[in-house]
């Protein structure tokens, strides 16, 4: 049971496993770059950025690579090396000193890693497939290349990489971790039947396609505790070329497996509350997931306050994670509380290397004078 009242509002506290969140406004994971060298976070810059947003009930960090094999985004941070762990420590300390809470999202991109990040080696995936579109590389956008299917002997290594990352996250001072199993990345490539064509125990039937998700989640839970482990899924139709023929069956089975493991909370990149990227034939799956997952359920996808209020009041969601709004509104909680206008963000500075468009957005008191 969640123990949350049906009449919960965004500003009511909530218990998310071991984390006591003072409100139900979470900061969703947002890839922003701002790392250097061997994917080492720019500590001072990130410390300022995240601490500015510490009034969130909980901050979910930007997606962070668990290994070089799994990280294919320019200037994105990692969590596999000692240097990366040391660089994250001032960030988590700054958030805690400001009264906030922060967990680290663990990322393996699978087939979406370009060989330029791997010394020319092939990326890995569930099957030998190629992602659509173009990869972001340090040399500009390039075509994705075909991934190789992971050998059955490699699965213990993949699970071990998640465990190592989770240990490092806790050593860096994070309050917990989130397993990124959404948005067409590695675990999602195993979940979906248009990217997973395996005939072994990790492919075919839904119970096999969710096997890697179960194994990774259980191993992380065994390492840091169920009360500090969460998962993100994206039952919102096609994403980065990954899709599924029966999403209700797939994602309810995945959610039921996570319920059995007992994770702290489940976050869904859901369909928009009142529309789904123009795909009117795609059903919203969160109501079905709500039936099988009894822990705290966090929904995310371009929410307005009114949409958030409605889903909290109905009991569909226990909390809402806001993404893009947090880029340009570090004090989003207070702005939503008083009904203040939100500052628009500047797309041109989403991934730039310095504080412009990152730590220089105004707080409410500065916009009112």
């Amino acid at each position: 049971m969640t123990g949350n009242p049906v009449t919960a509002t965004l500003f009511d506290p909530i218990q998310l496993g071991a984390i006591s969140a003072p409100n139900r406004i979470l900061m969703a994971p947002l890839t922003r770059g701002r790392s250097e060298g061997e994917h080492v976070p720019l500590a001072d810059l990130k410390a300022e950025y995240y601490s500015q947003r510490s009034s969130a009930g909980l901050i979910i960090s930007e997606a962070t690579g668990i290994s070089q094999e799994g990280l294919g985004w320019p200037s994105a941070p990692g969590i596999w090396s000692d240097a990366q762990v040391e660089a994250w420590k001032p960030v988590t300390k700054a958030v805690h000193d400001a009264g906030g809470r922060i967990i680290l999202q663990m990322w393996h991109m699978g087939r979406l890693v370009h060989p330029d990040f791997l010394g020319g080696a092939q990326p890995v995936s569930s099957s030998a497939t190629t992602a659509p579109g173009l990869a972001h590389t340090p040399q500009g956008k390039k075509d994705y290349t075909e991934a190789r299917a992971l050998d059955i002997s490699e699965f213990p290594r993949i699970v071990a990489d998640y465990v190592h990352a989770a240990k490092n996250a806790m050593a860096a001072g994070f309050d917990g971790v989130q397993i990124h199993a959404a948005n067409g990345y590695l675990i999602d490539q195993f979940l979906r039947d248009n990217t997973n064509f395996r005939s072994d125990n990790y492919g075919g039937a839904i119970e096999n396609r969710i096997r890697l998700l179960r194994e990774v989640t259980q191993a992380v839970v065994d390492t840091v505790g169920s009360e500090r482990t969460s998962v993100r899924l994206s039952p919102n139709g096609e994403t980065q070329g990954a899709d599924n023929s029966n999403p209700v069956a797939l994602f309810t089975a995945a959610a039921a497996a996570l319920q059995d493991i007992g994770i702290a909370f489940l976050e869904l990149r859901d369909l928009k509350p009142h529309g789904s990227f123009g795909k009117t034939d795609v059903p919203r799956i969160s109501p079905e997931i709500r039936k099988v997952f009894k822990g705290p359920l966090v929904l995310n996808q371009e929410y307005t306050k009114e949409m958030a209020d409605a889903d909290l009041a109905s009991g569909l969601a226990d909390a809402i994670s806001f993404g893009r709004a947090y880029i340009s509104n570090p004090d989003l909680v207070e702005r939503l509380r008083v009904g203040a206008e939100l500052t628009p963000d500047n797309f041109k500075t989403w991934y730039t290397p310095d504080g412009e468009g990152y730590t220089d957005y105004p707080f409410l008191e500065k916009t009112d004078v």
Side-chain angles (χ1 to χ4, degrees):
M1 297 295 291
T2 65
N4 300 322
V6 173
T7 55
T9 75
L10 286 170
F11 310 105
D12 290 323
I14 185 173
Q15 195 70 28
L16 300 170
I19 298 169
S20 298
N23 60 66
R24 298 168 187 240
I25 300 167
L26 277 59
M27 179 177 170
L30 292 160
T31 296
R32 303 301 310 277
R34 275 82 174 187
S35 300
E36 61 184 350
E38 299 298 318
H39 297 284
V40 176
L42 291 168
D44 292 344
L45 196 58
K46 287 188 183 294
E48 182 179 5
Y49 169 75
Y50 281 115
S51 64
Q52 286 177 340
R53 290 152 179 79
S54 59
S55 61
L58 174 64
I59 295 170
I60 306 171
S61 84
E62 63 207 277
T64 302
I66 64 169
S67 63
Q68 182 60 76
E69 174 192 76
L71 185 53
W73 190 273
S75 300
I79 193 64
W80 67 83
S81 74
D82 291 343
Q84 292 162 351
V85 172
E86 290 304 311
W88 276 116
K89 286 181 178 179
V91 181
T92 59
K93 183 178 186 301
V95 171
H96 292 151
D97 287 350
R101 300 135 299 275
I102 183 169
I103 64 174
L104 180 125
Q105 189 187 64
M106 302 188 297
W107 197 23
H108 192 305
M109 296 173 64
R111 69 177 187 169
L112 293 162
V113 179
H114 192 273
D116 283 2
F117 293 92
L118 305 174
Q122 274 185 289
V124 301
S125 185
S126 55
S127 301
T129 62
T130 305
L134 299 173
H136 294 268
T137 80
Q139 291 76 42
K141 293 186 178 182
K142 297 185 179 182
D143 290 331
Y144 285 108
T145 63
E146 185 178 75
R148 68 172 180 84
L150 280 163
D151 186 79
I152 196 75
S153 65
E154 295 182 274
F155 287 96
R157 173 180 65 79
I158 296 293
V159 174
D161 284 344
Y162 279 97
V163 167
H164 178 66
K167 288 179 179 178
N168 279 353
M170 301 309 293
F174 285 92
D175 298 300
V177 296
Q178 182 179 80
I179 298 163
H180 196 343
N183 298 3
Y185 296 117
L186 180 67
I187 294 177
D188 206 20
Q189 291 159 28
F190 275 85
L191 294 177
R192 313 257 192 159
D193 60 12
N194 85 324
T195 50
N196 184 343
F197 304 111
R198 303 178 73 94
S199 58
D200 58 16
N201 287 339
Y202 291 87
I206 287 175
E207 64 185 82
N208 288 340
R209 285 186 276 123
I210 68 174
R211 190 180 303 276
L212 181 61
L213 171 65
R214 289 203 321 266
E215 290 180 350
V216 167
T217 305
Q218 187 63 62
V220 171
V221 162
D222 291 344
T223 302
V224 304
S226 60
E227 71 280 5
R228 298 191 183 277
T229 302
S230 66
V231 173
R232 177 179 247 229
L233 297 173
S234 53
N236 59 337
E238 182 273 334
T239 176
Q240 302 198 89
D243 207 350
N244 197 75
S245 61
N246 191 346
V248 173
L250 170 63
F251 287 105
T252 54
L258 297 172
Q259 169 67 26
D260 289 343
I261 293 172
I263 61 172
F265 69 91
L266 174 61
E267 185 196 16
L268 303 179
R269 187 183 178 197
D270 197 16
L271 293 172
K272 290 182 183 179
H274 303 290
S276 58
F277 307 108
K279 297 181 179 181
T280 57
D281 59 332
V282 179
R284 195 178 184 199
I285 301 173
S286 51
E288 299 304 313
I289 289 176
R290 172 85 284 181
K291 296 174 184 177
V292 300
F293 186 81
K294 305 304 181 183
L297 186 64
V298 180
L299 300 185
N300 161 259
Q301 187 56 49
E302 299 183 29
Y303 270 86
T304 64
K305 182 178 183 296
E306 292 71 28
M307 294 174 184
D309 287 341
D311 279 354
L312 289 178
S314 72
L316 177 61
D318 297 302
I320 304 295
S321 62
F322 292 84
R324 186 168 173 175
Y326 256 119
I327 292 176
S328 50
N329 297 277
D331 55 350
L332 181 63
V333 172
E334 185 60 20
R335 287 175 184 265
L336 293 177
R337 189 189 307 276
V338 302
E341 184 177 355
L342 299 186
T343 302
D345 63 282
N346 179 5
F347 172 77
K348 293 180 180 179
T349 59
W350 278 11
Y351 310 119
T352 48
D354 54 27
E356 183 183 1
Y358 191 61
T359 56
D360 60 354
Y361 283 106
F363 282 74
L364 187 58
E365 60 267 26
K366 295 180 181 179
T367 62
D368 281 348
V369 296

